[in-house]
Amino acid sequence: MITLDILLARFTTLDPGDLHRWIAQGFVRPEVTEGELRFEEIDVERVRLILDLRDVLEVDETALPVVLSLVDQVYALRRRLRQLEGGSRLGGE
């Protein structure tokens, strides 16, 4: 896990106000330990994704919830497909 300071140092274009808004919207879900935000690797990658969507692909901030929801659905489907593939291999032997 990393702290807010480390996260901000890693992503120099990340504005703390944006991050707090994304946390409030549930896009990023850090843990709070002893009053300090702590980010797991999945949170770090989520921040990277949001920054790429916004800054590289120029996805409008108002469209982020829809795009993130679709990305989450794709990852959930991929996980489910892997589970099904694993189960069919075991059952087909």
Side-chain angles (χ1 to χ4, degrees), residues 2-3 10 12 18 22-23 25 30 36 41-44 50 54 61-62 64-65 68 71 73 78 80 83 85 88-89:
I2 65 171
T3 64
R10 190 174 289 182
T12 56
D18 290 340
W22 299 339
I23 292 169
Q25 291 172 313
E36 187 173 27
E41 191 60 33
I42 193 163
D43 301 308
V44 174
I50 295 169
R54 186 189 69 184
E61 194 86 20
T62 59
L64 277 177
L68 291 173
V71 168
Q73 289 177 43
R78 289 177 69 193
R80 182 68 180 133
Q83 291 171 347
E85 286 174 351
S88 68
R89 276 191 232 129

PDB file of all heavy atoms in Angstrom, residues 2-3 10 12 18 22-23 25 30 36 41-44 50 54 61-62 64-65 68 71 73 78 80 83 85 88-89:
ATOM      1  N   ILE A   2       0.366   2.293  -0.616  1.00  0.00           N
ATOM      2  CA  ILE A   2       1.127   3.537  -0.647  1.00  0.00           C
ATOM      3  C   ILE A   2       0.281   4.679  -0.081  1.00  0.00           C
ATOM      4  O   ILE A   2      -0.947   4.596  -0.032  1.00  0.00           O
ATOM      5  CB  ILE A   2       1.612   3.886  -2.069  1.00  0.00           C
ATOM      6  CG1 ILE A   2       0.445   4.165  -3.009  1.00  0.00           C
ATOM      7  CG2 ILE A   2       2.515   2.788  -2.617  1.00  0.00           C
ATOM      8  CD1 ILE A   2       0.866   4.712  -4.360  1.00  0.00           C
ATOM      9  N   THR A   3       0.950   5.725   0.313  1.00  0.00           N
ATOM     10  CA  THR A   3       0.270   6.889   0.890  1.00  0.00           C
ATOM     11  C   THR A   3      -0.145   7.866  -0.206  1.00  0.00           C
ATOM     12  O   THR A   3       0.276   7.746  -1.359  1.00  0.00           O
ATOM     13  CB  THR A   3       1.198   7.618   1.870  1.00  0.00           C
ATOM     14  OG1 THR A   3       2.316   8.118   1.139  1.00  0.00           O
ATOM     15  CG2 THR A   3       1.656   6.703   2.994  1.00  0.00           C
ATOM     16  N   ARG A  10       3.945   9.965  -7.760  1.00  0.00           N
ATOM     17  CA  ARG A  10       3.975   9.043  -8.904  1.00  0.00           C
ATOM     18  C   ARG A  10       3.254   9.624 -10.112  1.00  0.00           C
ATOM     19  O   ARG A  10       3.669   9.425 -11.242  1.00  0.00           O
ATOM     20  CB  ARG A  10       3.333   7.716  -8.491  1.00  0.00           C
ATOM     21  CG  ARG A  10       3.518   6.634  -9.516  1.00  0.00           C
ATOM     22  CD  ARG A  10       3.010   5.307  -9.047  1.00  0.00           C
ATOM     23  NE  ARG A  10       3.856   4.750  -8.003  1.00  0.00           N
ATOM     24  CZ  ARG A  10       3.645   3.566  -7.440  1.00  0.00           C
ATOM     25  NH1 ARG A  10       2.625   2.832  -7.802  1.00  0.00           N
ATOM     26  NH2 ARG A  10       4.447   3.119  -6.508  1.00  0.00           N
ATOM     27  N   THR A  12       2.350  13.046 -11.455  1.00  0.00           N
ATOM     28  CA  THR A  12       2.572  14.483 -11.287  1.00  0.00           C
ATOM     29  C   THR A  12       1.422  15.321 -11.845  1.00  0.00           C
ATOM     30  O   THR A  12       1.265  16.475 -11.444  1.00  0.00           O
ATOM     31  CB  THR A  12       3.893  14.909 -11.954  1.00  0.00           C
ATOM     32  OG1 THR A  12       3.867  14.524 -13.335  1.00  0.00           O
ATOM     33  CG2 THR A  12       5.077  14.247 -11.266  1.00  0.00           C
ATOM     34  N   ASP A  18      -9.071  16.582  -7.675  1.00  0.00           N
ATOM     35  CA  ASP A  18      -9.654  15.582  -8.572  1.00  0.00           C
ATOM     36  C   ASP A  18      -9.705  14.225  -7.891  1.00  0.00           C
ATOM     37  O   ASP A  18     -10.710  13.519  -7.943  1.00  0.00           O
ATOM     38  CB  ASP A  18      -8.852  15.480  -9.876  1.00  0.00           C
ATOM     39  CG  ASP A  18      -8.993  16.692 -10.769  1.00  0.00           C
ATOM     40  OD1 ASP A  18      -9.975  17.453 -10.612  1.00  0.00           O
ATOM     41  OD2 ASP A  18      -8.120  16.879 -11.639  1.00  0.00           O
ATOM     42  N   TRP A  22     -12.873  11.839  -7.110  1.00  0.00           N
ATOM     43  CA  TRP A  22     -12.998  10.465  -7.591  1.00  0.00           C
ATOM     44  C   TRP A  22     -13.245   9.490  -6.442  1.00  0.00           C
ATOM     45  O   TRP A  22     -13.984   8.522  -6.594  1.00  0.00           O
ATOM     46  CB  TRP A  22     -11.739  10.054  -8.348  1.00  0.00           C
ATOM     47  CG  TRP A  22     -11.456  10.893  -9.565  1.00  0.00           C
ATOM     48  CD1 TRP A  22     -12.347  11.671 -10.262  1.00  0.00           C
ATOM     49  CD2 TRP A  22     -10.212  11.048 -10.220  1.00  0.00           C
ATOM     50  NE1 TRP A  22     -11.717  12.303 -11.309  1.00  0.00           N
ATOM     51  CE2 TRP A  22     -10.404  11.934 -11.312  1.00  0.00           C
ATOM     52  CE3 TRP A  22      -8.938  10.527 -10.000  1.00  0.00           C
ATOM     53  CZ2 TRP A  22      -9.378  12.293 -12.174  1.00  0.00           C
ATOM     54  CZ3 TRP A  22      -7.909  10.887 -10.861  1.00  0.00           C
ATOM     55  CH2 TRP A  22      -8.138  11.768 -11.930  1.00  0.00           C
ATOM     56  N   ILE A  23     -12.655   9.781  -5.291  1.00  0.00           N
ATOM     57  CA  ILE A  23     -12.905   8.951  -4.109  1.00  0.00           C
ATOM     58  C   ILE A  23     -14.358   9.119  -3.675  1.00  0.00           C
ATOM     59  O   ILE A  23     -15.058   8.132  -3.401  1.00  0.00           O
ATOM     60  CB  ILE A  23     -11.929   9.313  -2.967  1.00  0.00           C
ATOM     61  CG1 ILE A  23     -10.505   8.897  -3.350  1.00  0.00           C
ATOM     62  CG2 ILE A  23     -12.360   8.659  -1.656  1.00  0.00           C
ATOM     63  CD1 ILE A  23      -9.423   9.445  -2.431  1.00  0.00           C
ATOM     64  N   GLN A  25     -16.848   9.870  -5.478  1.00  0.00           N
ATOM     65  CA  GLN A  25     -17.719   9.255  -6.478  1.00  0.00           C
ATOM     66  C   GLN A  25     -17.581   7.736  -6.503  1.00  0.00           C
ATOM     67  O   GLN A  25     -18.321   7.060  -7.205  1.00  0.00           O
ATOM     68  CB  GLN A  25     -17.404   9.822  -7.874  1.00  0.00           C
ATOM     69  CG  GLN A  25     -17.799  11.275  -8.017  1.00  0.00           C
ATOM     70  CD  GLN A  25     -17.312  11.866  -9.328  1.00  0.00           C
ATOM     71  OE1 GLN A  25     -16.158  11.710  -9.724  1.00  0.00           O
ATOM     72  NE2 GLN A  25     -18.203  12.564 -10.009  1.00  0.00           N
ATOM     73  N   PRO A  30      -9.649   3.961  -1.588  1.00  0.00           N
ATOM     74  CA  PRO A  30      -8.524   3.721  -0.682  1.00  0.00           C
ATOM     75  C   PRO A  30      -9.022   3.336   0.712  1.00  0.00           C
ATOM     76  O   PRO A  30     -10.184   3.563   1.054  1.00  0.00           O
ATOM     77  CB  PRO A  30      -7.818   5.076  -0.646  1.00  0.00           C
ATOM     78  CG  PRO A  30      -8.923   6.057  -0.859  1.00  0.00           C
ATOM     79  CD  PRO A  30      -9.870   5.389  -1.818  1.00  0.00           C
ATOM     80  N   GLU A  36      -5.145   8.371   7.635  1.00  0.00           N
ATOM     81  CA  GLU A  36      -4.392   8.608   6.394  1.00  0.00           C
ATOM     82  C   GLU A  36      -4.905   7.695   5.286  1.00  0.00           C
ATOM     83  O   GLU A  36      -5.185   6.523   5.516  1.00  0.00           O
ATOM     84  CB  GLU A  36      -2.903   8.348   6.632  1.00  0.00           C
ATOM     85  CG  GLU A  36      -2.047   8.719   5.466  1.00  0.00           C
ATOM     86  CD  GLU A  36      -0.555   8.599   5.789  1.00  0.00           C
ATOM     87  OE1 GLU A  36      -0.176   7.804   6.660  1.00  0.00           O
ATOM     88  OE2 GLU A  36       0.225   9.313   5.143  1.00  0.00           O
ATOM     89  N   GLU A  41      -2.544  -1.459  -4.940  1.00  0.00           N
ATOM     90  CA  GLU A  41      -2.127  -1.423  -6.345  1.00  0.00           C
ATOM     91  C   GLU A  41      -3.321  -1.247  -7.289  1.00  0.00           C
ATOM     92  O   GLU A  41      -3.232  -0.548  -8.293  1.00  0.00           O
ATOM     93  CB  GLU A  41      -1.339  -2.686  -6.703  1.00  0.00           C
ATOM     94  CG  GLU A  41      -0.645  -2.600  -8.041  1.00  0.00           C
ATOM     95  CD  GLU A  41       0.361  -1.452  -8.138  1.00  0.00           C
ATOM     96  OE1 GLU A  41       0.999  -1.095  -7.127  1.00  0.00           O
ATOM     97  OE2 GLU A  41       0.507  -0.909  -9.250  1.00  0.00           O
ATOM     98  N   ILE A  42      -4.447  -1.846  -6.952  1.00  0.00           N
ATOM     99  CA  ILE A  42      -5.636  -1.703  -7.808  1.00  0.00           C
ATOM    100  C   ILE A  42      -6.109  -0.247  -7.847  1.00  0.00           C
ATOM    101  O   ILE A  42      -6.570   0.237  -8.878  1.00  0.00           O
ATOM    102  CB  ILE A  42      -6.764  -2.662  -7.377  1.00  0.00           C
ATOM    103  CG1 ILE A  42      -7.824  -2.721  -8.472  1.00  0.00           C
ATOM    104  CG2 ILE A  42      -7.365  -2.259  -6.037  1.00  0.00           C
ATOM    105  CD1 ILE A  42      -8.753  -3.896  -8.362  1.00  0.00           C
ATOM    106  N   ASP A  43      -5.971   0.460  -6.724  1.00  0.00           N
ATOM    107  CA  ASP A  43      -6.323   1.882  -6.688  1.00  0.00           C
ATOM    108  C   ASP A  43      -5.365   2.698  -7.553  1.00  0.00           C
ATOM    109  O   ASP A  43      -5.784   3.608  -8.269  1.00  0.00           O
ATOM    110  CB  ASP A  43      -6.285   2.417  -5.252  1.00  0.00           C
ATOM    111  CG  ASP A  43      -7.230   1.692  -4.330  1.00  0.00           C
ATOM    112  OD1 ASP A  43      -8.417   1.577  -4.679  1.00  0.00           O
ATOM    113  OD2 ASP A  43      -6.786   1.227  -3.259  1.00  0.00           O
ATOM    114  N   VAL A  44      -4.095   2.359  -7.473  1.00  0.00           N
ATOM    115  CA  VAL A  44      -3.078   3.064  -8.262  1.00  0.00           C
ATOM    116  C   VAL A  44      -3.372   2.887  -9.753  1.00  0.00           C
ATOM    117  O   VAL A  44      -3.345   3.853 -10.527  1.00  0.00           O
ATOM    118  CB  VAL A  44      -1.662   2.557  -7.916  1.00  0.00           C
ATOM    119  CG1 VAL A  44      -0.612   3.174  -8.831  1.00  0.00           C
ATOM    120  CG2 VAL A  44      -1.340   2.841  -6.449  1.00  0.00           C
ATOM    121  N   ILE A  50      -7.934   6.384 -15.083  1.00  0.00           N
ATOM    122  CA  ILE A  50      -8.735   7.614 -15.136  1.00  0.00           C
ATOM    123  C   ILE A  50      -7.929   8.745 -15.768  1.00  0.00           C
ATOM    124  O   ILE A  50      -8.442   9.497 -16.606  1.00  0.00           O
ATOM    125  CB  ILE A  50      -9.252   8.001 -13.740  1.00  0.00           C
ATOM    126  CG1 ILE A  50     -10.232   6.944 -13.232  1.00  0.00           C
ATOM    127  CG2 ILE A  50      -9.919   9.377 -13.773  1.00  0.00           C
ATOM    128  CD1 ILE A  50     -10.598   7.091 -11.761  1.00  0.00           C
ATOM    129  N   ARG A  54      -8.918  10.613 -19.216  1.00  0.00           N
ATOM    130  CA  ARG A  54      -9.143  12.056 -19.226  1.00  0.00           C
ATOM    131  C   ARG A  54      -8.104  12.816 -20.040  1.00  0.00           C
ATOM    132  O   ARG A  54      -8.443  13.660 -20.872  1.00  0.00           O
ATOM    133  CB  ARG A  54      -9.151  12.580 -17.781  1.00  0.00           C
ATOM    134  CG  ARG A  54      -9.534  14.052 -17.683  1.00  0.00           C
ATOM    135  CD  ARG A  54      -9.327  14.594 -16.311  1.00  0.00           C
ATOM    136  NE  ARG A  54      -7.883  14.667 -16.033  1.00  0.00           N
ATOM    137  CZ  ARG A  54      -7.384  15.029 -14.882  1.00  0.00           C
ATOM    138  NH1 ARG A  54      -8.178  15.324 -13.877  1.00  0.00           N
ATOM    139  NH2 ARG A  54      -6.079  15.082 -14.701  1.00  0.00           N
ATOM    140  N   GLU A  61     -15.083  14.549 -18.340  1.00  0.00           N
ATOM    141  CA  GLU A  61     -15.268  14.173 -16.931  1.00  0.00           C
ATOM    142  C   GLU A  61     -16.688  13.652 -16.664  1.00  0.00           C
ATOM    143  O   GLU A  61     -16.879  12.745 -15.855  1.00  0.00           O
ATOM    144  CB  GLU A  61     -14.951  15.384 -16.054  1.00  0.00           C
ATOM    145  CG  GLU A  61     -14.767  15.105 -14.602  1.00  0.00           C
ATOM    146  CD  GLU A  61     -13.357  14.700 -14.199  1.00  0.00           C
ATOM    147  OE1 GLU A  61     -12.392  14.970 -14.929  1.00  0.00           O
ATOM    148  OE2 GLU A  61     -13.238  14.106 -13.128  1.00  0.00           O
ATOM    149  N   THR A  62     -17.671  14.206 -17.356  1.00  0.00           N
ATOM    150  CA  THR A  62     -19.059  13.756 -17.139  1.00  0.00           C
ATOM    151  C   THR A  62     -19.310  12.369 -17.715  1.00  0.00           C
ATOM    152  O   THR A  62     -20.247  11.689 -17.298  1.00  0.00           O
ATOM    153  CB  THR A  62     -20.070  14.748 -17.756  1.00  0.00           C
ATOM    154  OG1 THR A  62     -19.812  14.858 -19.161  1.00  0.00           O
ATOM    155  CG2 THR A  62     -19.969  16.116 -17.097  1.00  0.00           C
ATOM    156  N   LEU A  64     -16.975   9.929 -17.574  1.00  0.00           N
ATOM    157  CA  LEU A  64     -16.150   8.966 -16.838  1.00  0.00           C
ATOM    158  C   LEU A  64     -16.962   7.880 -16.141  1.00  0.00           C
ATOM    159  O   LEU A  64     -16.581   6.707 -16.222  1.00  0.00           O
ATOM    160  CB  LEU A  64     -15.242   9.677 -15.842  1.00  0.00           C
ATOM    161  CG  LEU A  64     -13.939  10.231 -16.388  1.00  0.00           C
ATOM    162  CD1 LEU A  64     -13.170  10.970 -15.303  1.00  0.00           C
ATOM    163  CD2 LEU A  64     -13.086   9.144 -17.006  1.00  0.00           C
ATOM    164  N   PRO A  65     -18.054   8.199 -15.457  1.00  0.00           N
ATOM    165  CA  PRO A  65     -18.796   7.119 -14.785  1.00  0.00           C
ATOM    166  C   PRO A  65     -19.258   6.029 -15.751  1.00  0.00           C
ATOM    167  O   PRO A  65     -19.157   4.841 -15.437  1.00  0.00           O
ATOM    168  CB  PRO A  65     -19.995   7.828 -14.152  1.00  0.00           C
ATOM    169  CG  PRO A  65     -19.587   9.251 -14.025  1.00  0.00           C
ATOM    170  CD  PRO A  65     -18.637   9.512 -15.159  1.00  0.00           C
ATOM    171  N   LEU A  68     -16.036   4.074 -17.049  1.00  0.00           N
ATOM    172  CA  LEU A  68     -15.493   3.216 -15.998  1.00  0.00           C
ATOM    173  C   LEU A  68     -16.403   2.028 -15.726  1.00  0.00           C
ATOM    174  O   LEU A  68     -15.929   0.910 -15.500  1.00  0.00           O
ATOM    175  CB  LEU A  68     -15.256   4.021 -14.720  1.00  0.00           C
ATOM    176  CG  LEU A  68     -14.115   5.036 -14.804  1.00  0.00           C
ATOM    177  CD1 LEU A  68     -14.087   5.899 -13.551  1.00  0.00           C
ATOM    178  CD2 LEU A  68     -12.781   4.344 -15.017  1.00  0.00           C
ATOM    179  N   VAL A  71     -15.776  -0.451 -18.505  1.00  0.00           N
ATOM    180  CA  VAL A  71     -14.488  -1.117 -18.301  1.00  0.00           C
ATOM    181  C   VAL A  71     -14.626  -2.167 -17.204  1.00  0.00           C
ATOM    182  O   VAL A  71     -14.146  -3.305 -17.347  1.00  0.00           O
ATOM    183  CB  VAL A  71     -13.386  -0.090 -17.963  1.00  0.00           C
ATOM    184  CG1 VAL A  71     -12.112  -0.779 -17.467  1.00  0.00           C
ATOM    185  CG2 VAL A  71     -13.084   0.792 -19.154  1.00  0.00           C
ATOM    186  N   GLN A  73     -17.292  -3.786 -16.341  1.00  0.00           N
ATOM    187  CA  GLN A  73     -18.084  -4.892 -16.870  1.00  0.00           C
ATOM    188  C   GLN A  73     -17.229  -5.798 -17.753  1.00  0.00           C
ATOM    189  O   GLN A  73     -17.353  -7.031 -17.695  1.00  0.00           O
ATOM    190  CB  GLN A  73     -19.281  -4.365 -17.661  1.00  0.00           C
ATOM    191  CG  GLN A  73     -20.346  -3.735 -16.791  1.00  0.00           C
ATOM    192  CD  GLN A  73     -21.474  -3.158 -17.614  1.00  0.00           C
ATOM    193  OE1 GLN A  73     -21.929  -3.762 -18.565  1.00  0.00           O
ATOM    194  NE2 GLN A  73     -21.930  -1.961 -17.238  1.00  0.00           N
ATOM    195  N   ARG A  78     -14.443 -10.963 -18.400  1.00  0.00           N
ATOM    196  CA  ARG A  78     -13.199 -11.703 -18.645  1.00  0.00           C
ATOM    197  C   ARG A  78     -12.902 -12.669 -17.506  1.00  0.00           C
ATOM    198  O   ARG A  78     -12.502 -13.814 -17.742  1.00  0.00           O
ATOM    199  CB  ARG A  78     -12.032 -10.733 -18.838  1.00  0.00           C
ATOM    200  CG  ARG A  78     -12.100  -9.974 -20.155  1.00  0.00           C
ATOM    201  CD  ARG A  78     -10.998  -8.972 -20.287  1.00  0.00           C
ATOM    202  NE  ARG A  78      -9.727  -9.652 -20.442  1.00  0.00           N
ATOM    203  CZ  ARG A  78      -8.551  -9.049 -20.333  1.00  0.00           C
ATOM    204  NH1 ARG A  78      -8.497  -7.763 -20.064  1.00  0.00           N
ATOM    205  NH2 ARG A  78      -7.436  -9.717 -20.490  1.00  0.00           N
ATOM    206  N   ARG A  80     -15.094 -14.008 -15.491  1.00  0.00           N
ATOM    207  CA  ARG A  80     -16.103 -15.069 -15.557  1.00  0.00           C
ATOM    208  C   ARG A  80     -15.774 -16.067 -16.669  1.00  0.00           C
ATOM    209  O   ARG A  80     -15.912 -17.276 -16.478  1.00  0.00           O
ATOM    210  CB  ARG A  80     -17.493 -14.445 -15.777  1.00  0.00           C
ATOM    211  CG  ARG A  80     -18.598 -15.432 -15.804  1.00  0.00           C
ATOM    212  CD  ARG A  80     -18.802 -16.064 -14.432  1.00  0.00           C
ATOM    213  NE  ARG A  80     -19.888 -17.007 -14.507  1.00  0.00           N
ATOM    214  CZ  ARG A  80     -19.845 -18.239 -14.020  1.00  0.00           C
ATOM    215  NH1 ARG A  80     -18.780 -18.638 -13.350  1.00  0.00           N
ATOM    216  NH2 ARG A  80     -20.853 -19.052 -14.141  1.00  0.00           N
ATOM    217  N   GLN A  83     -13.087 -18.337 -15.485  1.00  0.00           N
ATOM    218  CA  GLN A  83     -13.635 -19.331 -14.556  1.00  0.00           C
ATOM    219  C   GLN A  83     -14.341 -20.442 -15.318  1.00  0.00           C
ATOM    220  O   GLN A  83     -14.172 -21.627 -15.011  1.00  0.00           O
ATOM    221  CB  GLN A  83     -14.614 -18.671 -13.581  1.00  0.00           C
ATOM    222  CG  GLN A  83     -13.971 -17.751 -12.591  1.00  0.00           C
ATOM    223  CD  GLN A  83     -15.002 -16.962 -11.794  1.00  0.00           C
ATOM    224  OE1 GLN A  83     -16.179 -16.920 -12.137  1.00  0.00           O
ATOM    225  NE2 GLN A  83     -14.555 -16.313 -10.728  1.00  0.00           N
ATOM    226  N   GLU A  85     -13.873 -21.335 -18.469  1.00  0.00           N
ATOM    227  CA  GLU A  85     -12.885 -22.111 -19.218  1.00  0.00           C
ATOM    228  C   GLU A  85     -12.176 -23.104 -18.308  1.00  0.00           C
ATOM    229  O   GLU A  85     -11.970 -24.254 -18.675  1.00  0.00           O
ATOM    230  CB  GLU A  85     -11.857 -21.193 -19.863  1.00  0.00           C
ATOM    231  CG  GLU A  85     -12.372 -20.433 -21.053  1.00  0.00           C
ATOM    232  CD  GLU A  85     -11.361 -19.416 -21.581  1.00  0.00           C
ATOM    233  OE1 GLU A  85     -10.323 -19.176 -20.914  1.00  0.00           O
ATOM    234  OE2 GLU A  85     -11.618 -18.860 -22.654  1.00  0.00           O
ATOM    235  N   SER A  88     -14.591 -25.967 -17.526  1.00  0.00           N
ATOM    236  CA  SER A  88     -14.865 -26.871 -18.642  1.00  0.00           C
ATOM    237  C   SER A  88     -13.671 -27.765 -18.921  1.00  0.00           C
ATOM    238  O   SER A  88     -13.827 -28.906 -19.307  1.00  0.00           O
ATOM    239  CB  SER A  88     -15.256 -26.081 -19.905  1.00  0.00           C
ATOM    240  OG  SER A  88     -14.151 -25.345 -20.385  1.00  0.00           O
ATOM    241  N   ARG A  89     -12.453 -27.268 -18.671  1.00  0.00           N
ATOM    242  CA  ARG A  89     -11.250 -28.106 -18.856  1.00  0.00           C
ATOM    243  C   ARG A  89     -11.224 -29.223 -17.832  1.00  0.00           C
ATOM    244  O   ARG A  89     -10.906 -30.343 -18.135  1.00  0.00           O
ATOM    245  CB  ARG A  89      -9.990 -27.272 -18.738  1.00  0.00           C
ATOM    246  CG  ARG A  89      -9.635 -26.581 -20.036  1.00  0.00           C
ATOM    247  CD  ARG A  89      -8.258 -25.990 -19.950  1.00  0.00           C
ATOM    248  NE  ARG A  89      -8.423 -24.594 -20.365  1.00  0.00           N
ATOM    249  CZ  ARG A  89      -8.000 -23.555 -19.699  1.00  0.00           C
ATOM    250  NH1 ARG A  89      -7.344 -23.712 -18.583  1.00  0.00           N
ATOM    251  NH2 ARG A  89      -8.186 -22.343 -20.120  1.00  0.00           N
TER     252      ARG A  89
END
